[in-house]
Amino acid sequence: MRLKRRSHLKANVDLIPMIDIVFQLILFFLVSTTFAILPGIKVNLPESSTAKGEAKAGITITAKASGIMYFNDRQVTFETLDECLEKFDTEEKPRSEYPVTLEADSEVTNGTIVTVFDVLRKNGFSAVNLRTSKK
């Protein structure tokens, strides 16, 4: 009885483990990536040639040219802004160091901005950044 010999071996590459690893890497990078949190309130920011791009977590106060103001994403007036700042808990930092970003439309009057600064200082917040756009 004669046996038939194979002259070459068949080699198979199993791609399933490699695909599993690629999916795990994609999931890892998606979960570990930090995303910039941009406010959903549209404001025509004033332009500045010396503006620095910094994203800081904290309080965002937005003043629109129409007179509408927002505390983070909640619409407020000067009185309710004062109440919101009084109740705001800054447990990790003292109020004087807690970052506050003021986004004011380029058409907002200087008096409105000064009133917002007064309300902030009254409640102990002094680390205020004015948000602008680059020229």
Side-chain angles (χ1 to χ4, degrees), residues 31-85:
V31 170
S32 65
T33 303
T34 57
F35 296 99
I37 300 172
L38 299 175
I41 303 166
K42 298 286 182 189
V43 179
N44 184 20
L45 296 172
E47 293 182 349
S48 171
S49 60
T50 59
K52 292 182 182 179
E54 289 184 27
K56 291 185 178 182
I59 298 172
T60 302
I61 297 173
T62 307
K64 296 181 81 173
S66 60
I68 300 171
M69 282 193 346
Y70 294 91
F71 174 78
N72 290 334
D73 59 349
R74 180 178 159 206
Q75 188 173 344
V76 294
T77 62
F78 287 114
E79 294 80 23
T80 55
L81 175 64
D82 190 26
E83 293 170 8
C84 290
L85 289 171

Side-chain angles (χ1 to χ4, degrees), residues 2-122:
R2 282 182 112 177
L3 295 174
K4 195 175 186 182
R5 285 190 159 185
R6 291 186 183 172
S7 60
H8 64 341
L9 294 174
K10 253 185 173 173
N12 287 337
V13 177
D14 192 14
L15 294 178
I16 294 174
M18 185 181 71
I19 292 171
D20 288 343
I21 290 173
V22 169
F23 280 130
Q24 287 179 3
L25 286 172
I26 290 171
L27 285 174
F28 171 77
F29 286 115
L30 282 174
V31 170
S32 65
T33 303
T34 57
F35 296 99
I37 300 172
L38 299 175
I41 303 166
K42 298 286 182 189
V43 179
N44 184 20
L45 296 172
E47 293 182 349
S48 171
S49 60
T50 59
K52 292 182 182 179
E54 289 184 27
K56 291 185 178 182
I59 298 172
T60 302
I61 297 173
T62 307
K64 296 181 81 173
S66 60
I68 300 171
M69 282 193 346
Y70 294 91
F71 174 78
N72 290 334
D73 59 349
R74 180 178 159 206
Q75 188 173 344
V76 294
T77 62
F78 287 114
E79 294 80 23
T80 55
L81 175 64
D82 190 26
E83 293 170 8
C84 290
L85 289 171
E86 278 180 27
K87 295 176 186 174
F88 192 77
D89 185 25
T90 59
E91 59 190 37
E92 66 266 0
K93 289 183 180 180
R95 283 182 176 243
S96 61
E97 296 176 15
Y98 199 81
V100 177
T101 303
L102 177 58
E103 299 176 341
D105 196 283
S106 60
E107 303 296 319
V108 171
T109 63
N110 189 33
T112 302
I113 295 172
V114 169
T115 307
V116 170
F117 272 108
D118 284 342
V119 171
L120 287 168
R121 278 190 299 241
K122 176 184 166 195

